[in-house]
Amino acid sequence: MVTATDTAGEAAKELRALVREFGVKEIRPRVRELEEAGEFPHDLYRQMGELGFFGCCFPEQVGGTDAGYQALAVVAEELAWAYPPLSAAMNLQAATVPLTIANWGSAELVQEYVPGLIAGRLLGCNAMTEPDGGSDLLGAMRTRAVRDGDDYVITGSKMWITNANVADVAVVYAKTDPELGHRGVSAFVVPTDAPGFSTSRVPCRVLGKLMPTNEVILNEVRVPAANLLGEEGEGFKVAMSAMDYGRLSVAARSVGLAQACLDASVEYANQREAFGQRIGSFQMVKKQIADMACEVSAARALVQDAAVRYDGGIIPTRESSIAKYYAGEVCNRAAQATAEIFGGYAFSDELPISTYLNYAKLWQTGEGSANIQAVLIADDALGWKSMDRHRRPSKPEVRA
């Protein structure tokens, strides 16, 4: 007898095979060409959108596939396996930007932006972090939004904003009442062609050219009051919900990158010879590969557990944070072990090992740094502050 679980498992296998094939045929063969050209791969984003990679968590009425969060995690993992920079799309096109608009925006905003974002026709960015913000990104926020009739006028700057230079729309956070701290933050949908919105690339050689990061300047950018997400002063809630979705995606991407490290290490250990034997026969290399194999499986299980809970209808802040923290640690250990197995070849531009090292470290920071996650997890375990105290539905109530 075929059960619902069996059916879901078969669907996940088919989806994983589809994304893996796309990565092998469409991404990996073009990596060097794309990096050397330094041009943003608009065509790949559109292809991924057309294949439904970005629409997993959205209903068909806005162009989604309604496949759910387990599907999103599979796609994010496989895209990171193919090439880490391109998997950023699973945050910006499939999670943090469109889900935030779907959850908090008006029906008009949803129809204007969500279908285009998940189809890859429009590109989004999440403009939250500021030059002095860091982990205190909302409390230290200096960007202001002042009500002026039927509009808000936004002035300030953002830093480390992925894809801002190619984005069509940004979710921007600004203080509408500076006296209230994080309770005075509001969130807005801002078209990037609005007068006063400008970007400049932040040089990050170690990250390559396919995941551009930027400074954003907002010089009296005027947006309609209808572009407010939620109510005025609800920006903290909006930001936290965006981070919850983002953590699942980053955790899955970390698993995919760790799997890429494991696969590369196994292949190399079976080919490379030293002292008259394959290096896979050395006990130290065996130990490193065994650790990677075990830890990747454990991290994947944590991600899948969180995704199942999302599909159950509630955002599992605790489980997604644990998955993100542990997967990030595993990813870093895998990348370091892979570099040690490859030795001097790890630094060759012919191989992706240095890219794996750089992105493994980056993803420990994105959607909440490893140190912050550890503090939150420990406070929850100690009974001092529950991570699930603000439980929210995980499925967007799309207003069409």
Side-chain angles (χ1 to χ4, degrees):
M1 181 179 67
V2 177
T3 67
T5 302
D6 294 331
T7 303
E10 286 303 312
K13 288 180 182 178
E14 292 176 6
L15 177 61
R16 187 179 293 278
L18 172 65
V19 186
R20 175 63 64 97
E21 182 180 18
F22 183 83
V24 169
K25 291 183 176 180
E26 302 295 334
I27 296 177
R28 284 196 168 183
R30 294 183 57 192
V31 165
R32 171 172 280 188
E33 163 205 338
L34 290 167
E35 288 287 5
E36 289 178 353
E39 296 178 2
F40 189 81
H42 290 274
D43 60 325
L44 285 178
Y45 270 64
R46 284 191 292 270
Q47 283 180 267
M48 290 189 284
E50 290 168 2
L51 288 169
F53 292 177
F54 304 148
C56 298
C57 302
F58 296 87
E60 294 180 3
Q61 68 196 86
V62 292
T65 64
D66 206 19
Y69 292 90
Q70 295 173 72
L72 180 146
V74 166
V75 176
E77 179 185 332
E78 288 298 325
L79 287 181
W81 176 89
Y83 195 55
L86 292 178
S87 68
M90 294 309 294
N91 274 53
L92 300 174
Q93 303 297 130
T96 51
V97 177
L99 278 172
T100 299
I101 295 174
N103 277 315
W104 299 90
S106 65
E108 291 74 21
L109 284 176
V110 171
Q111 288 303 316
E112 184 173 359
Y113 292 110
V114 171
L117 285 166
I118 63 177
R121 295 191 304 270
L122 298 177
L123 298 179
C125 68
N126 194 44
M128 188 184 298
T129 306
E130 298 198 355
D132 297 329
S135 296
D136 186 24
L137 52 90
L138 296 180
M141 188 170 291
R142 297 180 181 179
T143 299
R144 288 290 316 278
V146 178
R147 185 69 183 256
D148 182 24
D150 293 332
D151 297 331
Y152 282 91
V153 179
I154 306 174
T155 301
S157 65
K158 302 292 179 178
M159 182 60 81
W160 312 116
I161 309 304
T162 301
N163 288 2
N165 61 314
V166 294
D168 301 288
V169 61
V171 174
V172 175
Y173 296 82
K175 282 190 174 176
T176 45
D177 190 340
E179 301 300 320
L180 295 180
H182 71 271
R183 292 184 179 86
V185 175
S186 299
F188 303 86
V189 173
V190 179
T192 59
D193 61 359
F197 188 104
S198 63
T199 66
S200 60
R201 289 284 297 273
V202 178
C204 287
R205 185 178 303 172
V206 297
L207 298 183
K209 300 175 182 177
L210 300 188
M211 199 189 84
T213 189
N214 301 266
E215 180 182 17
V216 173
I217 302 298
L218 301 130
N219 184 14
E220 297 186 352
V221 175
R222 185 174 290 270
V223 297
N227 284 28
L228 180 68
L229 293 173
E231 302 294 331
E232 189 173 296
E234 285 192 319
F236 177 77
K237 295 180 181 179
V238 176
M240 292 304 101
S241 69
M243 297 271 279
D244 278 322
Y245 294 117
R247 286 191 189 109
L248 177 67
S249 174
V250 172
R253 289 159 63 195
S254 294
V255 172
L257 177 48
Q259 182 68 57
C261 290
L262 173 58
D263 292 346
S265 296
V266 167
E267 181 179 9
Y268 190 68
N270 274 318
Q271 293 176 350
R272 173 69 167 162
E273 291 189 0
F275 305 102
Q277 56 188 313
R278 289 179 295 179
I279 65 171
S281 66
F282 298 148
Q283 286 187 337
M284 180 64 77
V285 174
K286 285 181 182 291
K287 176 65 164 59
Q288 290 173 310
I289 289 176
D291 286 346
M292 276 192 269
C294 293
E295 291 191 333
V296 169
S297 293
R300 182 178 291 116
L302 285 174
V303 171
Q304 290 174 346
D305 175 64
V308 166
R309 293 170 188 270
Y310 277 93
D311 282 332
I314 295 294
I315 292 179
T317 300
R318 177 188 294 109
E319 288 78 10
S320 63
S321 182
I322 290 173
K324 191 267 180 188
Y325 174 73
Y326 184 71
E329 297 293 306
V330 167
C331 186
N332 269 269
R333 287 194 289 268
Q336 184 63 45
T338 301
E340 292 171 2
I341 290 170
F342 274 78
Y345 283 105
F347 300 98
S348 170
D349 287 343
E350 298 286 332
L351 298 170
I353 311 306
S354 60
T355 297
Y356 293 169
L357 279 165
N358 293 329
Y359 275 88
K361 181 53 64 177
L362 174 66
W363 290 344
Q364 273 192 310
T365 302
E367 315 306 301
S369 71
N371 285 347
I372 292 294
Q373 296 305 304
V375 169
L376 295 174
I377 293 167
D379 282 351
D380 181 88
L382 289 163
W384 295 353
K385 185 179 291 186
S386 170
M387 297 180 72
D388 284 333
R389 63 191 182 279
H390 303 303
R391 294 177 70 86
R392 298 178 301 277
S394 60
K395 295 184 180 294
E397 182 184 345
V398 176
R399 290 162 288 282

